[in-house]
Amino acid sequence: MRAILIVFVKEFRENLRERRTLYTALILGPLLGPALFAGLLALQLQRGAGAADRALPVAVAHGERAPNLAAYLAEAGAAVTPADLAGEDARHAVQAHRYERLLVVPPEFAASLASGAPAPLELYADASDAAAAADSARLRALLEQYSTRLARLRVVARGIDPLVLNTLAVQDIDVSTPVTRSVLLLGMLSYLMLLTMLMGGVYLAIDTTAGERERGSLEPLLTVPVRRELLIFGKILATCAYMVLSLALTVTSFAIVLLRGA
């Protein structure tokens, strides 16, 4: 047992003197991980708060075929930009990011709407653009609201109460509490803390063998009259101690970030 403790103290001191080990196990992971998490969380909250307030940019091709729709989008807070594109030209314009999204009104829109048939619309958007996905969802929600309004007007014109279209009235009641909602965040934090701890532990495990060879101390260490398994146990104990210390620093850093965010 004494030999294991001697090897443990020797490894612990050497790892403290090794700058790469110190940066990786005790500084880079425990400090950079929480800082990166706090930055991403703040950026996500900022984007979520500002997305609902800013105008929704929408390019409408042939908007003269559906003036009421264009007016509805403008009233709903969309920044409508007229365009004169269709077919492949519209596809290429969105692919080239000339427009984030393009709503094309086909020639048969008015005739289909007047006959009571579903009026076609073509919405061009780039699904690979994650930043514009939220705005595209907002535009689809506006189109669904406009479609619902037209459906109500149709049944009113036929002397039918529009409430018959509402077969269900579902009310979302959120029974979650701040404590239960924090479980989702804490579940993600556990993975981040384990990843941070393992990042430092991997370098420590490599340094116990390759580091000894680089420093030229492996051969003298093997000549010490101590059984090999005791040397290995001492090195493992030193690595575990650094991983526990790294985990403690990581938990402290995340706690500070969460308390400052709260």
Side-chain angles (χ1 to χ4, degrees):
M1 186 65 183
R2 184 171 179 272
I4 295 178
L5 292 178
I6 293 175
V7 175
F8 165 75
V9 173
K10 174 255 183 191
E11 289 291 326
F12 198 86
R13 288 178 177 177
E14 286 186 353
N15 288 330
L16 281 179
R17 291 194 295 265
E18 183 66 27
R19 292 184 178 180
R20 291 178 298 180
T21 303
L22 188 64
Y23 290 155
T24 304
L26 301 181
I27 296 179
L28 184 62
L31 297 182
L32 183 60
L36 181 61
F37 173 77
L40 291 176
L41 184 61
L43 180 61
Q44 187 68 22
L45 292 176
Q46 182 179 3
R47 285 184 177 180
D53 297 332
R54 67 183 182 87
L56 176 63
V58 180
V60 179
H62 305 291
E64 69 280 357
R65 298 171 182 169
N68 293 332
L69 175 59
Y72 174 81
L73 293 177
E75 292 176 0
V80 179
T81 303
D84 189 10
L85 297 170
E88 291 298 323
D89 294 335
R91 182 186 301 273
H92 294 158
V94 175
Q95 287 178 345
H97 297 286
R98 290 172 52 193
Y99 303 105
E100 293 184 3
R101 62 204 55 83
L102 178 62
L103 184 64
V104 179
V105 182
E108 63 273 15
F109 178 85
S112 300
L113 198 63
S115 63
L121 286 173
E122 297 176 359
L123 177 58
Y124 292 85
D126 189 357
S128 62
D129 189 357
D135 288 340
S136 299
R138 287 177 59 192
L139 178 58
R140 291 187 183 91
L142 291 178
L143 294 176
E144 289 292 336
Q145 293 175 7
Y146 185 73
S147 175
T148 302
R149 174 182 293 187
L150 292 180
R152 290 177 180 272
L153 291 176
R154 284 180 178 178
V155 296
V156 168
R158 289 166 173 80
I160 303 174
D161 189 355
L163 292 179
V164 300
L165 297 177
N166 299 331
T167 57
L168 296 176
V170 180
Q171 297 180 357
D172 294 327
I173 302 175
D174 188 5
V175 298
S176 64
T177 62
V179 176
T180 58
R181 287 194 295 268
S182 64
V183 173
L184 298 175
L185 182 61
L186 292 177
M188 183 173 60
L189 289 180
S190 61
Y191 289 105
L192 292 176
M193 288 187 292
L194 289 176
L195 179 62
T196 301
M197 183 180 65
L198 291 176
M199 285 174 57
V202 168
Y203 186 82
L204 287 171
I206 296 175
D207 188 69
T208 55
T209 54
E212 294 279 2
R213 181 171 297 178
E214 289 179 359
R215 292 187 293 268
S217 58
L218 181 60
E219 289 79 5
L221 181 63
L222 294 178
T223 60
V224 175
V226 179
R227 290 185 299 174
R228 298 291 177 85
E229 58 268 20
L230 298 181
L231 292 176
I232 295 175
F233 290 154
K235 287 178 173 292
I236 292 176
L237 184 62
T239 302
C240 292
Y242 267 94
M243 292 178 68
V244 172
L245 183 58
S246 175
L247 179 61
L249 292 175
T250 304
V251 171
T252 304
S253 301
F254 274 115
I256 293 174
V257 169
L258 292 177
L259 289 177
R260 290 177 63 89

